[in-house]
Amino acid sequence: HKMPILQLVGRVVSNRQMQKTAKVSVTRMVPHHITNRLMRVHKIYFAHDQNDERMPGDIVRIQESRPLSKHKRFTIIEVLREEPRFTDPATGKTITKYTDSTSLNF
């Protein structure tokens, strides 16, 4: 009997440091251990991005896979929503409104 393959939905946070890798922030609602109020808990997963085309802000579904590197254990399997792209007039680079955001804007 095989374990079910874990699938998660999250937002791409960053894709700049690594080739073919995107950092995906997954938000879960977890009850507080004392008050039982629901809290938002974020966890960042490194996910494999074969064509290196995901940009910060994209909403993606990631799926568990074999270890691809020291920290990479997930692969992006589908893009649920693509963040609109803009061209930065100063640098000429393609950006989204989440590019270079130091904090997670949820």
Side-chain angles (χ1 to χ4, degrees):
H1 178 71
K2 288 176 85 170
M3 290 281 292
I5 294 177
L6 181 63
Q7 288 191 355
L8 301 165
V9 173
R11 169 174 276 142
V12 176
V13 183
S14 168
N15 64 347
R16 51 186 333 167
Q17 304 90 338
M18 305 157 283
Q19 295 172 333
K20 295 192 176 183
T21 302
K23 278 185 184 170
V24 179
S25 170
V26 175
T27 305
R28 293 183 301 126
M29 299 300 273
V30 177
H32 188 276
H33 65 287
I34 296 173
T35 61
N36 255 3
R37 273 184 63 162
L38 284 179
M39 323 184 303
R40 282 199 182 119
V41 177
H42 304 289
K43 182 166 179 186
I44 297 214
Y45 295 93
F46 287 12
H48 183 67
D49 174 11
Q50 181 55 51
N51 303 324
D52 218 0
E53 56 199 14
R54 299 282 50 89
M55 299 279 291
D58 291 352
I59 307 293
V60 294
R61 185 185 309 277
I62 59 176
Q63 177 176 306
E64 209 173 15
S65 62
R66 66 181 174 81
L68 296 158
S69 72
K70 182 174 177 179
H71 299 294
K72 253 198 318 193
R73 308 265 180 289
F74 283 83
T75 307
I76 295 176
I77 53 171
E78 72 173 307
V79 181
L80 303 175
R81 200 183 82 220
E82 197 167 86
E83 194 63 30
R85 269 65 164 151
F86 309 101
T87 303
D88 184 9
T91 61
K93 290 184 176 156
T94 305
I95 57 168
T96 65
K97 71 175 187 183
Y98 291 95
T99 304
D100 282 342
S101 61
T102 49
S103 62
L104 293 176
N105 303 328
F106 278 100

